[in-house]
Amino acid sequence: MTHGTHSRRLPLIAVGVAVLLWSTSFGISSEVLETASPGVLSVGRFVIGLAVLVPIAVRRPGFARTVRRPRTMLLGLLGVALYYSLTNIGLEFSTAGTIALTNAALPALTAVLGLLILRERLAVRTVVGLVLATVGVAIVAGSGLSLDVGVLLSLIGLASYALYTVLLRKELVTAPLRRPGSEQTATTDVDPLVLATATAVWGTAIMLPWLVLEAATGSASLPADAAGWGGLAFLGIVITAPTIVLFNYGAERLPAAITGILTAAIPALGYLFALLLGEPFDPVTALGGAVALVGVVIASASTPAIDSSPPGSALPPAEDDSA
């Protein structure tokens, strides 16, 4: 495998690993919510994740500059505060398996927004994979997904996350950065960990008033046992911190449709983990999950038609420091 091919595979691998970790979060979050409140879970997992990420990110170039950017605040609102808050509240009204299956909408939402906002043209292989993934998740959804409050909240959160995924790439695609008076494209040495951490900082800050409101109304509750605290720590350290870094790295470099296709694995894998935690097996749901995974494989088996972008290429140029 050539170096160019290898570099183009890395974003696929990063998003794939992020999706695998992401899929485990529904069941674990549901277990933590047995005793903890949604605000405590949402803010707590990111506070723990940031305890891991911030000490690393502050040592890298561009962290303070990235935190100050309005774009970073918007990404934190869409990809952290809205998505995770609405998903965790949804888990209060629905089962982990149901919320995992609701993620069936994410690939199509991401592909459509990529087409409308980024004007991305879809390759034949991508279209075939998207169709298969959509058919698979439609089978999954039709096998027992009910339109309740939890599902509605989850769908709103998914729309927010699809927009977040597209905006991660928008600036890179539509606004190549060049220094004034220079022919050289303005890039920095800042890696994706900086953008992911800065985004999580803003997302956590935006969720803090929700936690304060829970505390003021007496609805806030901490995990009641070691299993709950262990689940919260696992969500923060093993799932949240790696997932946001890996997903940001891949989503910034891949066409939005490809990233969306990869997320089609979430319903199937999330449902599988829900089964392992005791939810009853449904053969129709299993069939739909298998079809969705075939679509993921078809869409991602070939090398993307774009080169991977350098780390930090969607971050501001150095002159933004003075601003």
Side-chain angles (χ1 to χ4, degrees):
M1 182 181 294
T2 65
H3 174 71
T5 301
H6 179 68
S7 65
R8 289 192 292 268
R9 293 286 186 186
L10 288 178
L12 285 172
I13 295 171
V15 175
V17 174
V19 163
L20 179 62
L21 293 172
W22 188 347
S23 301
T24 68
S25 66
F26 303 105
I28 298 173
S29 296
S30 183
E31 293 294 318
V32 175
L33 285 171
E34 290 291 331
T35 55
S37 60
V40 169
L41 170 60
S42 301
V43 176
R45 67 182 290 181
F46 274 93
V47 168
I48 294 171
L50 287 173
V52 176
L53 294 176
V54 169
I56 303 172
V58 295
R59 298 175 179 271
R60 299 175 184 263
F63 178 71
R65 182 175 69 247
T66 305
V67 170
R68 293 197 302 267
R69 297 195 69 200
R71 174 176 179 263
T72 307
M73 184 188 305
L74 177 60
L75 292 175
L77 171 66
L78 294 172
V80 175
L82 287 178
Y83 172 72
Y84 286 94
S85 297
L86 292 173
T87 298
N88 288 333
I89 295 175
L91 284 168
E92 291 278 86
F93 298 94
S94 301
T95 66
T98 298
I99 297 300
L101 297 181
T102 308
N103 279 258
L106 186 55
L109 286 171
T110 305
V112 169
L113 288 175
L115 180 64
L116 295 176
I117 297 176
L118 303 179
R119 307 297 182 188
E120 291 182 347
R121 292 181 295 177
L122 304 181
V124 174
R125 182 183 292 269
T126 303
V127 172
V128 172
L130 180 59
V131 169
L132 279 176
T134 302
V135 170
V137 296
I139 295 173
V140 168
S143 68
L145 187 60
S146 58
L147 194 60
D148 57 15
V149 174
V151 171
L152 289 174
L153 291 173
S154 179
L155 287 173
I156 297 171
L158 288 168
S160 172
Y161 203 88
L163 181 57
Y164 162 79
T165 301
V166 171
L167 292 182
L168 275 173
R169 184 162 173 77
K170 182 178 186 299
E171 184 169 316
L172 176 63
V173 173
T174 61
L177 299 172
R178 295 184 181 276
R179 299 183 187 281
S182 172
E183 296 298 322
Q184 183 179 4
T185 299
T187 60
T188 71
D189 293 330
V190 182
D191 60 49
L193 187 146
V194 167
L195 179 59
T197 305
T199 298
V201 167
W202 271 114
T204 305
I206 293 170
M207 289 190 292
L208 280 176
W210 174 28
L211 181 59
V212 172
L213 179 62
E214 276 196 350
T217 59
S219 58
S221 58
L222 297 172
D225 51 28
W229 282 109
L232 186 60
F234 188 86
L235 284 169
I237 299 171
V238 180
I239 296 180
T240 301
T243 296
I244 60 174
V245 175
L246 291 170
F247 190 86
N248 277 26
Y249 170 83
E252 190 181 9
R253 289 156 176 78
L254 293 173
I258 292 290
T259 304
I261 283 287
L262 291 172
T263 62
I266 294 174
L269 293 175
Y271 185 71
L272 174 61
F273 286 116
L275 290 178
L276 294 177
L277 290 175
E279 289 197 22
F281 174 76
D282 180 357
V284 178
T285 298
L287 173 63
V291 174
L293 286 176
V294 170
V296 172
V297 172
I298 291 176
S300 58
S302 65
T303 302
I306 59 165
D307 288 335
S308 297
S309 308
S313 55
L315 297 179
E319 60 266 22
D320 280 4
D321 282 331
S322 60

